[in-house]
Amino acid sequence: QVHLVESGGGLAQPGGSLKLSCSASRSIATIYAIGWYRQLPGKQRELVAGFINNGSPKYADSVKGRFTLSRDNAENMVHLQMNSLKPEDTAVYYCNAFDPSIGPEGMIYWGEGTLVTVSS
């Protein structure tokens, strides 16, 4: 199992920056997939950025060139640096992890979420 705790959400102006952090309760090097999703008001949760099998980060088209995903294996943390923020980035951001070794279909873990509001 893995417990995920997000931090770093808040209010930013358009064009501004925020950094989100996700702390995991166990070694992230052993987690098959870890990253960030977001849920915009009235919409389904969507992938923002993530690592799969310790590979290079993958990004949603909407955030490419603006967001940067990084990892700190020593601290078991994943960070999402968000630059050039837009009002449409306003959402609740969730840290997510997937472990395919648990059960027949694997296990998905979610943090409680952190609110990001982009507004002037």
Side-chain angles (χ1 to χ4, degrees):
Q1 293 213 355
V2 59
H3 183 57
L4 304 170
V5 179
E6 303 102 337
S7 61
L11 175 66
Q13 291 190 338
S17 299
L18 283 174
K19 183 177 182 179
L20 304 183
S21 296
C22 174
S23 178
S25 61
R26 75 172 216 223
S27 171
I28 63 172
T30 66
I31 297 174
Y32 178 77
I34 187 166
W36 291 90
Y37 280 68
R38 68 185 181 186
Q39 188 163 19
L40 282 67
K43 299 287 183 65
Q44 288 190 330
R45 211 169 283 191
E46 62 182 20
L47 176 67
V48 177
F51 291 106
I52 298 176
N53 202 18
N54 291 311
S56 298
K58 308 297 182 185
Y59 298 95
D61 288 343
S62 59
V63 306
K64 282 181 182 176
R66 300 188 298 122
F67 291 11
T68 302
L69 185 68
S70 63
R71 62 194 295 157
D72 184 338
N73 285 0
E75 297 293 330
N76 296 324
M77 296 190 73
V78 174
H79 305 288
L80 184 68
Q81 177 66 46
M82 305 185 295
N83 298 329
S84 302
L85 283 163
K86 304 176 181 180
E88 51 263 43
D89 293 318
T90 296
V92 179
Y93 285 70
Y94 296 91
C95 187
N96 164 275
F98 174 65
D99 188 341
S101 70
I102 299 178
E105 298 181 355
M107 184 68 73
I108 298 174
Y109 302 94
W110 295 99
E112 293 190 353
T114 185
L115 177 63
V116 171
T117 303
V118 183
S119 175
S120 56

